[in-house]
Amino acid sequence: MAPNTTVRKKGRAKSTAPTSAEVATIAGVSRSTVSRTFTQGASVDPVTRARIIEVAQDIGYAPNQAARSLISGRSDTVGLVMASFDNPFYHTVLSGFLDHFQRRDIRVMCHAAPDIDGVDEGVRAMLRYNVDAMIIAASGMTSSVIDDCRRSGVSTVLFNRTIPGSRVHSVQTDNLAGGRTMADFLAIGGHGRMAYIHGLEQSSTNRDRYTGFADRVAELGLPEPQQEFGEYTYQGGREAVKRLMMSGNAPDAVFCANDIMAFGVLDGLRTDLGLSVPGDVSVTGFDDVPMASWPSFGLTTIRQRRNRMIDAAVALLDTAITDPKGKDECVSIEGRLILRESARLPSPRPS
Amino acid sequence: MAPNTTVRKKGRAKSTAPTSAEVATIAGVSRSTVSRTFTQGASVDPVTRARIIEVAQDIGYAPNQAARSLISGRSDTVGLVMASFDNPFYHTVLSGFLDHFQRRDIRVMCHAAPDIDGVDEGVRAMLRYNVDAMIIAASGMTSSVIDDCRRSGVSTVLFNRTIPGSRVHSVQTDNLAGGRTMADFLAIGGHGRMAYIHGLEQSSTNRDRYTGFADRVAELGLPEPQQEFGEYTYQGGREAVKRLMMSGNAPDAVFCANDIMAFGVLDGLRTDLGLSVPGDVSVTGFDDVPMASWPSFGLTTIRQRRNRMIDAAVALLDTAITDPKGKDECVSIEGRLILRESARLPSPRPS
DNA sequence: GTGAAAGCGCTAACAT
DNA sequence: ATGTTAGCGCTTTCAC
């Protein structure tokens, strides 16, 4: 916990950076005027303002954020804690959030949690830094720190997770609907022996995708899907599909809880087992990461609408700040079935 | 630039979080003692300390970092600005740095720069936040803010870039050597018509990889490599290779400045042109991202030793903090040739 | 080992 | 529109 060698600085404030006082002296105004010049929506005489800005640039002055944060109670900083950071989908999510907040000149503190405790730790750590908002993208681990967020008065939004009754906003893809859509699509394609490869069992996204899928399969009067477990990883998918195909009752369609596992499944099927996709088996995923469109994979999948989700998350954050006592909203965004070559399409009927 | 709708909080400090004063009152000690309890290496009576910690946990107190930073001059925060954040290699780099700093209870502020100006902007923004250290992973864009970093007294390290004479530490893969290695390897494999697909031209990593490659090719007495440009992207590589193969003098080996372009090249060759790899053409990359080992690609490539690079970067940061006036070091780490199936091996000679 | 007092750099009231 | 004043929450001398 306590570091020995460390990036931490030693002594006290070297105060190497210029302060507002210096600018004030040089520009011949009071500190307040300097401060106002750098404060949104304060009124300063244009000429004075110009002079101040020039001086500031000259000596390289910029307001000290720590001091600013101390008095204003905000830090122009948001915290983003992610679990499952090896899933490329979350790289694009991170990228999207960074892009958004950079435009608004808001800093993003990142934390990649290796496990459940990691999420709590990360959230708590960021709370100490007075982040103005917290985004928790940890698809389905139960976290006890949500209350801490609310107690600290930090607007919080859950990304791809909901904790019912937690009084926290959340955004997610409609995973239930996604699962159902996939069941319909595969059924129409004439598949009768379906299989599902789970991600992490504790993950709510995984559960919902499965539930939607299995429910719809049942409604269609088809046999219950076989199940395997792939831990949301490439290697996990690759091995899971081998177990599936060796099991005596080989499926003709495999729906994976995310794209990465589906890539593993494709490689397992083609390379390890010498089977053809979709000739022998159809394979589908969930996410639509960039690679899914590469011809090597051509993965039929459910697209999570990343941009919409991010916009929604940010909107919720803004709402939460405007109206901290407001009711918690839970935005659900429908995924979109993306057709590619990894799954058999329905054969056209003779008319 | 100026946001209108905003995550920013409005009013003044709600001071919703508990302060050291409250803890002090409840625990019946002075504020100083509370402070000491949470300060590394301060001496407090064990019994008192225990009581304080209990109270703190009770009411959910943790020291306010802004206040702490204001007086101590450090923030337990580092800034990480990256260009080319769509390259998976940098996802693993980010992941590695996060892991490292989280262990040390240091926060990481991330910035993904879309272009050169973005790098400068990101660095400058983070400087205002008093980051204790800055890591700039922007493989080869010239940046004028390095001086700002030094002026602010922030230890800085360049990741995969060097700016000679800048008096800033840096770590990078030995890209020149990597290029040479690849030339040797392809030559031994019997390739005589080499091609190189450039990433971004301004990128120093790209230049070095090419220079090493071309120099060694010349030394071996082989014809100068053909050149194409792929912008470091999948799509760029895919199109570049088509131009290359249509050019009348089709190469028998294509070396790409990074793995992602190589994946594009593989798909371009196999899917778009119906060629076989490595039967018709050998393909190699640089980075060794996780996907490179997937059988769909089986990419022969030069591995950048991510972990070593990160360790070196952190060590340099620590050095810079201990000895701010020290000479700038430039650590160069040799890449490692990883053999897979995308490039022809030398045929065994009859003895 | 502990308390009292000063102050980090800034912004927000309150004056003018 | 500008100056004055107070104080955000903490750490750190300086006494004891």
Side-chain angles (χ1 to χ4, degrees), chain B residues 269-324:
Chain B
L269 251 18
R270 292 174 179 152
T271 309
D272 303 336
L273 300 173
L275 293 170
S276 124
V277 176
D280 297 314
V281 198
S282 288
V283 176
T284 62
F286 206 112
D287 283 347
D288 194 30
V289 299
M291 278 176 288
S293 69
W294 296 1
S296 293
F297 302 114
L299 185 68
T300 292
T301 189
I302 306 273
R303 172 179 299 166
Q304 298 208 57
R305 266 115 132 196
R306 191 201 69 152
N307 289 329
R308 292 197 193 191
M309 296 174 78
I310 290 176
D311 291 348
V314 171
L316 287 178
L317 252 22
D318 288 332
T319 309
I321 284 167
T322 314
D323 175 19

Side-chain angles (χ1 to χ4, degrees), chain B residues 39-253:
Chain B
T39 305
Q40 290 251 329
S43 24
V44 175
D45 178 273
V47 183
T48 322
R49 162 182 238 109
R51 192 168 67 248
I52 292 174
I53 293 199
E54 208 198 302
V55 174
Q57 294 215 320
D58 246 36
I59 68 172
Y61 167 79
N64 177 323
Q65 281 291 338
R68 182 177 262 189
S69 161
L70 190 55
I71 189 151
S72 70
R74 61 184 170 74
S75 59
D76 292 351
T77 288
V78 305
L80 173 55
V81 4
M82 297 166 286
S84 52
F85 189 62
D86 13 68
N87 183 347
F89 175 67
Y90 285 98
H91 300 158
T92 66
V93 168
L94 168 57
S95 178
F97 274 118
L98 286 181
D99 188 59
H100 179 95
F101 287 117
Q102 283 168 198
R103 281 178 210 281
R104 291 166 70 165
D105 199 22
I106 288 172
R107 248 25 62 204
V108 180
M109 284 191 181
C110 294
H111 189 103
D115 52 32
I116 308 189
D117 295 343
V119 173
D120 284 31
E121 229 173 74
V123 171
R124 252 186 277 268
M126 286 178 178
L127 251 24
R128 287 190 287 122
Y129 285 80
N130 294 341
V131 291
D132 293 340
M134 181 89 70
I135 300 163
I136 305 180
S139 77
M141 327 186 104
T142 2
S143 166
S144 60
V145 286
I146 308 289
D147 288 336
D148 294 19
C149 293
R150 296 201 33 252
R151 267 202 295 171
S152 319
V154 180
S155 316
T156 305
V157 62
L158 268 26
F159 195 90
N160 250 347
R161 170 164 70 146
T162 332
I163 300 186
S166 63
R167 308 225 350 84
V168 176
H169 296 312
S170 64
V171 185
Q172 61 185 150
T173 294
D174 189 336
N175 293 299
L176 275 165
R180 298 180 67 89
T181 302
M182 195 52 90
D184 275 324
F185 167 72
L186 291 174
I188 293 173
H191 304 87
R193 299 187 314 281
M194 316 245 193
Y196 179 84
I197 300 189
H198 287 269
L200 291 168
E201 285 182 87
Q202 326 94 293
S203 152
S204 62
T205 51
N206 175 69
R207 265 198 314 274
D208 290 352
R209 287 166 198 175
Y210 176 69
T211 306
F213 184 63
D215 283 1
R216 186 61 187 151
V217 165
E219 286 174 26
L220 292 166
L222 295 168
E224 187 184 350
Q226 289 173 70
Q227 301 176 51
E228 261 297 344
F229 299 86
E231 311 246 273
Y232 275 141
T233 67
Y234 170 87
Q235 205 52 42
R238 192 165 164 193
E239 272 146 29
V241 77
K242 287 188 235 174
R243 292 194 295 272
L244 228 34
M245 301 311 286
M246 306 303 204
S247 72
N249 179 26
D252 57 5

